[in-house]
Amino acid sequence: MVEWLAALRRLARESPTLAVGGGTLLLIAALGLVAPWIAPHDPLAIAPTNSLEPASATHLLGTDQLGRDLFSRILVGTRISILVGAAVAALATIGGLAIGLLAGFVRVLDGPLMRVMDGVMSIPGVLFAIALMAVFRASVETVVIALAIVEIPRVVRLVRSVVLTLRELPFVEGAIVSGATTFGIVRRHILPNTLAPLIVQATYIAASAIIIEAALSFLGAGTPPEVPSWGNIMASGRAFFLIAPMLVLMPGVVLTLTVLAINLVGDGLRDRLDPKLRAALK
Amino acid sequence: MMRPSFLRRALAATALAAIGIAAIGVAAMPAAQAQSVLKVLIDGNVTTVDPVVTTESMAIQHGFMVYDQLFALDAQSRPQPQMVASYERSADGLKWRFVLRDGLKFHDGSPVEAKDVVPSLRRGAARKASGAALFRHVEAVEAIDARSFELRLSRPFGPVLEMMADPLNALFVMRAADASTDPARPLTTSIGSGPFRFVQEGWKPGDRAVYVKNPDYVPRAEPPSAMAGGKVVKVDRVEFSHIPDATTSAQALMSGEVDVLVFPQLALMQVLERAPGVEVQMLNPIGEQGILRVNHLVPPFNNPKARQALLYLLGNQTDHLAAIVRLPKLQKPCWAVFGCGTPLENTAGIGDWAKGTDVEKAKALLREAGYDGRPIVIIDPPSNDRIHAMSLVTAQKLRQAGVTVDVQAMDIGAWASRRNERGDPKTTPNGWHIFHTHGKMISQGDPLANSAAVATCDGKNWVGWPCDEDLQKQLEAYAFVAPEGRAAWVQSYQARFFQALPYVPVGQFLLPTASRAVVSGLLPVQGYPVMWNVQKR
Amino acid sequence: MLRYILKRLLMVVPVMGVVTVVVFVLSRVGPGDPVTIMLGEFATAEQIARTRTALGLDLPLPAQYFAWLAQTLQGNLGLSLFTRKPVLELIAQSAAPTVLLTLCAMVYAVLVAVPLGVLAAARAGSLVDRAVMAGAVLGFSTPVFVLGYILAYVFGLRLGLLPVQGFPGLEAGPVAVLRALTLPALAIGATFVALIARVTRASMLEVLNEDYIRTARAKGLRRPVVLLVHALKNAAVPVVTMIGIGFGILLSGVVVTESVFAIPGIGRLTVDAIFRRDFPVIQGVVLVMSAVYVLLNLLVDLSYMLFDPRIRY
């Protein structure tokens, strides 16, 4: 216990960004996890005759135009955002890793794969995600898939460049010459060296996914609107911005805070992992 | 050497021209200010000036500026002669003779004659539900002389005048040449005999349409009453334009850039009501009818008992109406199928559900209908906030009655497509049980125009496919009911309606119109606001 | 050098090929049917089928793709299924506010971010540096639509300084237009400021440590001159790259921001088209936006020849 605390204190001293970001993120994630049990009201229960009530003891942040409790909705929305962020990061990283390795090791596939990635990357992200969502039926799963597709090319580029750099290094070349299997090389040399930049990239993808999910929902093309995600809460409140601006501002501020925490974690990790990565590449 | 001098001369010429244009502009300005110009924001851009080829609201509003109708609906929704001076109906109701009133003139100066009316009615009949309903029973329509024409029917179709007075599917009178154009090909010029002239040069399809007062127009002597009565124009010029965004539209009105905002977004009502110099009026006293539609082909709603359970869940309709329009003064609970404040309003067949939601009764009915706990699929396009609100309220009420509900959200396009799927949601992935929509009360209140009431058993009727032969027979009979028999007809029809329940009326809600306080004289109408009688101080 | 330019130009072909296929497939495999929407609330199945045939929507997909591609290459992006207007005309009509907004945001971002980045690099490790970098993380983390609403709340609703939402139209004059674009440009620009400031700082730091700068300094050149003339020119490469890459972010931001501020631009056109399943418009917009992006990156690549004395082809 004491050792544990000491480790924490050391982390806070050595990498304050990581500590602050990580702490905030953990808190938000924990709140999201227990949200259904601590939310004071059913986030979905409508009461049309109690619409747009101001903040009060019963409704901490007031109610929306259909009489739903804003505080409970934002609280429960935390789960969706965290879930989407984590799932997209995982999916995009795994998918990107697979394609990136393929491109890096199979010469014939490199050209075509990378051209496809270039093509996909040249479609502006939100536009592409909107277009994808127009094809899928709206659900949390399809949002995750759509965002992963948008994010994969970045991972592919990263992995491929690492592979190409590593291939030229003496110890990898040696392994290739000595007849090691591709799988063995990937497992022993490539993966360990790709891991650090991948983790950093994954945090940025999570942050970006949370923003794009919110943007999609805000535009009405994201998670199904009955799911109280932050973007959906903002979307349903936007028509009332001139009368009740908090319907839009509150979920927005919480969203920003979450993304900020994740980005701080990413920056902190990058700064800590970078030296190792550089050493590996030297 | 040539070049610089040429350049200099060209520059000088350009500068002179610029000064000249500026001077003309300055000279023209005071003249423009002396005129009274009414700037109106409508629901979309006037992209076509032919009100026959389309049912777009913009084209209809354009039509009422430029053209005139044979009959028009008054404030009590009764047809009154407009271009017609007098008419006779034969005792058997098969022969109608109409005489046009004096002084009717097209904007090109030519007189309006019966030879213009006949092809106009025919062209209208090819595109408009009203004209089509009428012409299904028309044996012949012909000009008798310059001012009178005759209509001969094969059957004693009752609502002849109502069809000629329809404010949504208006049968406008055009010049014979225009009226002989293929009904599918839109006219690109607009020469009518109405109270305003269309300024062809001022028309920018993506931007604005401009009208000036028609000095030759002779209004009827009667005072204006809704669409009927004398159309007296009190401004010199009217400009229709459109701002796609609701907030921007409201701001344009608040800042005085425009004078009338025909349909402001309901969410902005409170802002507009509080804004200085802005007035909000309920011009349309009957508004819109909310519609809850079930799929009649699949369980549980293929059983009338399950449909009736919905009546007890909706109760006095206030939850649905509050969710749609929020402000109580815009809500008009009404169980009458053809609306309240309409000629066919009545209370036949309305049971005790209208007193308030009765969850127990709904549960009992669902049990009787054999509801087996299967998830009920409600399809919901959240981008349409009115339909979305209705969907959520219905879902919550069904859940309260112990029903498993699956609200499936989708964009409005997918929603429109999905409604055509007939299959059982249990076995068909795109199947559905319930959707909501709404329609203009003036059209919902007309048994000949209310598509949701059609209950033919051929599966060709509107999505939801209700089937009730008795009800449908009664509905079709309406066309041959004489005006004095309508009260009895609707008693019997409505009693049967609530047993068969082709759709569930969700009540009426009003769409207000906002204008600058300096604007007065906007007439209460059941269709779209009209610009005659409007004054600007 | 000419060979490089040609090679770089040729690379655009497969990229745009992928874009066209993606765009086409996406807009055809969805569940929505544009015809059902087009014909309105009370259409019959027969009317729907007839209209679908008339619009060529019942042909096999590859046939539809090549027909569409052939037309596209001739500059014909088709008609909107909904308004029956040429897609190119629709895009052109809504382009003005979008282009203006993008330019404003970009100019604002570069004007703010480059000096900030230079300042942070010059005073690396100082409080100023940390403040700039912290601000950058915050700017990077704030979604455009959230920032948009915060700005609208503060400057529009609370202070009443600027219009909350809306776009008056170009004929309202430059002052009204700029007033309407200020808040949205600030909102979109924020992410961009953060990105460019970071990159400027990083590349400045790298350049400042290189030998020739040290030599220049040793030769007695005054510090600000060194910084501006030598370092900035060399640091320009990554900054320009970032402007190219960031343009994609900017375009994405425009779609959302136009929605927040109710600006009738290309973003609005797209969102409306998607809700109506207006395939030709969706295709047209995504295609044009991607082409603009590809083109811009091409220009960025080519501009390296101007900016970086070390790059020779």
Side-chain angles (χ1 to χ4, degrees):
Chain A
M1 189 66 193
V2 181
E3 284 164 43
W4 201 68
L5 270 177
L8 263 184
R9 206 169 297 145
R10 200 168 57 237
L11 179 71
R13 200 174 48 242
E14 281 175 13
S15 177
T17 34
L18 193 56
V20 171
T24 315
L25 189 58
L26 278 180
L27 181 71
I28 293 172
L31 278 177
L33 206 66
V34 297
W37 294 279
I38 60 168
H41 294 270
D42 177 352
L44 299 178
I46 53 176
T49 41
N50 301 337
S51 79
L52 299 187
E53 278 185 12
S56 66
T58 11
H59 297 289
L60 288 178
L61 295 175
T63 61
D64 71 1
Q65 72 274 20
L66 290 173
R68 295 174 292 202
D69 182 54
L70 184 59
F71 179 73
S72 307
R73 287 173 70 71
I74 293 178
L75 199 59
V76 172
T78 311
R79 301 188 117 197
I80 321 294
S81 291
I82 299 284
L83 179 79
V84 168
V88 172
L91 204 62
T93 311
I94 294 169
L97 184 65
I99 302 176
L101 287 176
L102 218 56
F105 276 99
V106 188
R107 277 272 151 83
V108 218
L109 289 179
D110 188 26
L113 276 178
M114 292 322 287
R115 290 297 81 73
V116 172
M117 292 301 136
D118 287 346
V120 172
M121 275 182 91
S122 47
I123 305 175
V126 168
L127 263 186
F128 191 26
I130 294 176
L132 278 169
M133 284 311 295
V135 174
F136 297 140
R137 176 192 278 183
S139 76
V140 178
E141 291 84 1
T142 50
V143 170
V144 168
I145 295 171
L147 295 186
I149 294 177
V150 173
E151 300 285 356
I152 276 179
R154 260 168 278 278
V155 184
V156 173
R157 277 199 173 174
L158 174 78
V159 172
R160 175 177 171 273
S161 72
V162 173
V163 171
L164 292 186
T165 319
L166 289 173
R167 278 179 70 117
E168 311 299 319
L169 296 184
F171 61 94
V172 181
E173 260 184 354
I176 296 174
V177 171
S178 66
T181 59
T182 309
F183 180 72
I185 295 168
V186 167
R187 210 188 46 166
R188 222 163 299 130
H189 303 293
I190 310 285
L191 273 187
N193 286 309
T194 325
L195 213 57
L198 262 188
I199 290 173
V200 174
Q201 184 78 356
T203 60
Y204 293 137
I205 288 178
S208 150
I210 289 178
I211 292 183
I212 302 184
E213 183 278 319
L216 289 185
S217 301
F218 172 75
L219 294 174
T223 43
E226 74 273 13
V227 176
S229 77
W230 293 331
N232 280 333
I233 302 174
M234 293 182 76
S236 76
R238 56 192 296 204
F240 297 88
F241 181 65
L242 295 178
I243 312 170
M246 287 307 142
L247 290 183
V248 177
L249 294 180
M250 278 302 159
V253 168
V254 178
L255 166 66
T256 307
L257 209 64
T258 309
V259 175
L260 182 63
I262 300 178
N263 276 335
L264 286 179
V265 170
D267 286 1
L269 283 178
R270 185 197 54 201
D271 294 344
R272 284 180 75 83
L273 298 174
D274 229 12
K276 281 189 209 156
L277 174 68
R278 282 208 187 123
L281 292 174
K282 249 168 202 163
Chain B
M1 280 315 281
M2 281 269 301
R3 232 160 148 195
S5 77
F6 170 75
L7 240 178
R8 206 173 303 149
R9 230 183 302 156
L11 275 175
T14 314
L16 276 176
I19 291 168
I21 289 167
I24 292 167
V26 169
M29 256 158 70
Q33 273 167 358
Q35 280 196 332
S36 57
V37 180
L38 192 69
K39 294 188 177 172
V40 183
L41 286 183
I42 58 175
D43 249 10
N45 282 310
V46 177
T47 47
T48 164
V49 291
D50 188 344
V52 172
V53 293
T54 172
T55 52
E56 274 185 352
S57 68
M58 296 77 81
I60 307 305
Q61 290 177 73
H62 164 85
F64 274 106
M65 298 293 282
V66 178
Y67 298 101
D68 215 350
Q69 269 180 308
L70 293 168
F71 286 80
L73 286 190
D74 68 9
Q76 282 73 46
S77 300
R78 292 172 312 206
Q80 301 292 351
Q82 181 54 253
M83 297 173 80
V84 165
S86 62
Y87 67 96
E88 280 166 39
R89 169 177 175 255
S90 67
D92 59 4
L94 290 176
K95 206 193 269 179
W96 296 69
R97 187 176 279 220
F98 303 89
V99 181
L100 296 175
R101 65 188 174 95
D102 265 336
L104 297 176
K105 236 195 266 179
F106 285 111
H107 301 155
D108 63 359
S110 60
V112 179
E113 293 183 345
K115 67 169 173 40
D116 301 302
V117 175
V118 171
S120 294
L121 284 176
R122 284 193 189 287
R123 188 160 188 264
R127 302 294 291 192
K128 301 283 171 189
S130 55
L134 172 63
F135 268 69
R136 217 166 287 143
H137 310 291
V138 167
E139 218 160 55
V141 51
E142 54 199 30
I144 306 289
D145 54 50
R147 282 183 49 206
S148 49
F149 65 98
E150 193 176 75
L151 196 67
R152 283 198 302 278
L153 303 176
S154 54
R155 292 183 68 187
F157 181 75
V160 169
L161 306 184
E162 281 82 356
M163 294 300 108
M164 291 184 173
D166 192 322
L168 293 181
N169 293 292
L171 298 172
F172 293 118
V173 174
M174 302 179 167
R175 293 180 301 178
D178 293 339
S180 325
T181 314
D182 177 354
R185 251 193 42 220
L187 298 172
T188 50
T189 57
S190 233
I191 307 275
S193 63
F196 290 92
R197 284 181 183 173
F198 180 53
V199 182
Q200 191 82 32
E201 322 66 80
W203 180 37
K204 293 187 214 150
D207 183 28
R208 71 192 61 224
V210 179
Y211 308 85
V212 293
K213 179 180 178 166
N214 174 11
D216 297 336
Y217 187 76
V218 184
R220 295 186 72 92
E222 299 93 335
S225 168
M227 311 298 279
K231 299 180 175 180
V232 180
V233 174
K234 299 176 177 173
V235 291
D236 300 310
R237 185 180 162 96
V238 174
E239 292 181 13
F240 280 172
S241 57
H242 172 62
I243 300 178
D245 182 74
T247 314
T248 317
S249 310
Q251 273 168 347
L253 182 73
M254 290 189 280
S255 67
E257 284 162 49
V258 296
D259 303 306
V260 181
L261 174 51
V262 170
F263 293 122
Q265 195 187 54
L266 293 174
L268 295 166
M269 280 284 297
Q270 278 168 310
V271 179
L272 286 171
E273 282 181 334
R274 271 190 250 137
V278 172
E279 266 174 16
V280 177
Q281 304 175 63
M282 313 300 159
L283 294 183
N284 183 340
I286 56 174
E288 303 265 323
Q289 182 178 48
I291 296 169
L292 186 163
R293 183 76 153 186
V294 300
N295 184 345
H296 289 252
L297 304 179
V298 301
F301 296 115
N302 56 357
N303 186 321
K305 289 240 171 4
R307 301 200 287 274
Q308 282 154 12
L310 295 169
L311 298 173
Y312 287 92
L313 287 179
L314 260 73
N316 57 14
Q317 299 171 326
T318 42
D319 284 327
H320 278 83
L321 291 174
I324 304 169
V325 287
R326 244 170 40 76
L327 302 179
K329 64 181 166 197
L330 302 180
Q331 304 165 14
K332 196 169 178 175
C334 171
W335 275 107
V337 178
F338 299 111
C340 298
T342 52
L344 293 174
E345 171 177 359
N346 80 106
T347 55
I350 300 175
D352 49 4
W353 67 77
K355 291 183 194 128
T357 300
D358 184 344
V359 175
E360 291 314 312
K361 179 78 183 168
K363 273 185 182 164
L365 280 165
L366 281 166
R367 227 178 359 254
E368 281 175 56
Y371 172 64
D372 54 3
R374 66 176 70 209
I376 296 301
V377 175
I378 300 181
I379 50 173
D380 167 25
S383 61
N384 181 319
D385 50 0
R386 293 169 205 167
I387 298 180
H388 180 53
M390 287 190 261
S391 308
L392 293 186
V393 178
T394 302
Q396 179 152 319
K397 284 181 174 284
L398 280 169
R399 287 193 185 111
Q400 282 163 357
V403 173
T404 324
V405 185
D406 178 11
V407 179
Q408 295 187 6
M410 58 203 73
D411 64 74
I412 193 96
W415 175 80
S417 303
R418 275 284 289 278
R419 300 189 310 180
N420 293 299
E421 178 58 65
R422 290 165 197 249
D424 189 338
K426 210 170 183 180
T427 46
T428 318
N430 281 331
W432 56 272
H433 287 110
I434 294 178
F435 74 85
H436 302 78
T437 185
H438 54 88
K440 282 240 169 306
M441 195 66 246
I442 185 68
S443 152
Q444 289 298 106
D446 174 357
L448 294 179
N450 185 330
S451 306
V454 177
T456 51
C457 295
D458 56 3
K460 285 182 185 164
N461 47 348
W462 188 51
V463 291
W465 314 280
C467 161
D468 190 285
E469 277 167 4
D470 177 36
L471 190 69
Q472 180 61 20
K473 214 179 286 165
Q474 290 199 41
L475 186 67
E476 284 167 14
Y478 174 78
F480 309 104
V481 173
E484 50 283 5
R486 285 179 193 156
W489 174 86
V490 74
Q491 287 275 332
S492 152
Y493 176 83
Q494 189 165 298
R496 176 72 206 158
F497 180 94
F498 282 113
Q499 285 160 22
L501 215 57
Y503 71 97
V504 182
V506 175
Q508 277 164 260
F509 55 94
L510 306 183
L511 299 178
T513 294
S515 65
R516 300 291 307 169
V518 292
V519 173
S520 62
L522 281 161
L523 291 166
V525 285
Q526 307 91 331
Y528 305 106
V530 290
M531 294 306 139
W532 58 83
N533 197 52
V534 179
Q535 239 173 329
K536 192 179 167 187
R537 284 194 305 277
Chain C
M1 195 155 107
L2 197 66
R3 264 192 59 186
Y4 172 78
I5 296 176
L6 275 179
K7 212 176 113 194
R8 188 63 188 74
L9 276 176
L10 272 180
M11 271 169 65
V12 169
V13 175
V15 169
M16 284 313 292
V18 171
V19 173
T20 57
V21 172
V22 169
V23 165
F24 178 80
V25 169
L26 273 183
S27 60
R28 289 304 150 98
V29 295
D33 179 353
V35 177
T36 333
I37 310 163
M38 216 166 80
L39 294 186
E41 189 66 20
F42 302 108
T44 67
E46 194 204 335
Q47 287 171 323
I48 291 172
R50 231 180 320 150
T51 314
R52 185 172 294 126
T53 313
L55 293 173
L57 288 172
D58 54 353
L59 296 171
L61 275 185
Q64 287 188 46
Y65 169 74
F66 284 109
W68 170 74
L69 188 65
Q71 289 292 313
T72 306
L73 289 177
Q74 294 164 33
N76 179 3
L77 293 179
L79 296 180
S80 153
L81 294 180
F82 205 74
T83 60
R84 309 301 299 154
K85 280 194 203 165
V87 171
L88 213 56
E89 190 188 311
L90 287 175
I91 294 178
Q93 262 176 13
S94 32
T98 305
V99 170
L100 273 177
L101 183 55
T102 314
L103 282 179
C104 284
M106 208 159 197
V107 169
Y108 147 74
V110 173
L111 284 184
V112 172
V114 172
L116 278 181
V118 172
L119 191 71
R123 305 247 184 286
S126 71
L127 206 64
V128 179
D129 180 24
R130 284 191 200 173
V132 169
M133 286 305 101
V137 181
L138 185 63
F140 198 67
S141 304
T142 316
V144 278
F145 53 105
V146 175
L147 185 58
Y149 273 115
I150 292 175
L151 290 171
Y153 179 70
V154 175
F155 292 98
L157 285 188
R158 286 275 137 190
L159 302 176
L161 288 178
L162 290 163
V164 181
Q165 280 168 323
F167 187 73
L170 292 182
E171 67 276 6
V175 177
V177 169
L178 273 181
R179 272 171 60 86
L181 289 182
T182 307
L183 293 182
L186 288 180
I188 311 180
T191 318
F192 217 45
V193 169
L195 264 178
I196 298 179
R198 271 188 181 195
V199 173
T200 310
R201 175 180 177 273
S203 47
M204 281 292 289
L205 279 181
E206 221 159 88
V207 176
L208 282 175
N209 282 328
E210 281 186 23
D211 292 342
Y212 64 99
I213 296 282
R214 291 193 188 149
T215 320
R217 243 187 241 173
K219 278 197 297 195
L221 276 174
R222 289 211 329 275
R223 209 175 135 79
V225 181
V226 174
L227 283 176
L228 279 176
V229 178
H230 281 261
L232 198 54
K233 191 175 175 202
N234 291 295
V237 174
V239 174
V240 169
T241 311
M242 200 32 79
I243 292 174
I245 294 173
F247 191 71
I249 300 175
L250 210 56
L251 286 181
S252 292
V254 165
V255 175
V256 185
T257 311
E258 282 181 2
S259 213
V260 172
F261 288 98
I263 295 168
I266 290 180
R268 249 305 260 297
L269 181 71
T270 320
V271 173
D272 287 351
I274 280 169
F275 284 131
R276 294 166 173 170
R277 307 256 139 203
D278 200 338
F279 295 146
V281 176
I282 305 175
Q283 287 167 342
V285 171
V286 177
L287 206 64
V288 169
M289 295 281 244
S290 306
V292 167
Y293 180 68
V294 169
L295 206 73
L296 202 92
N297 274 300
L298 178 72
L299 289 178
V300 165
D301 274 8
L302 296 180
S303 73
Y304 289 162
M305 292 186 283
L306 283 179
F307 281 109
D308 195 339
R310 287 165 299 184
I311 299 179
R312 287 280 173 261
Y313 305 93

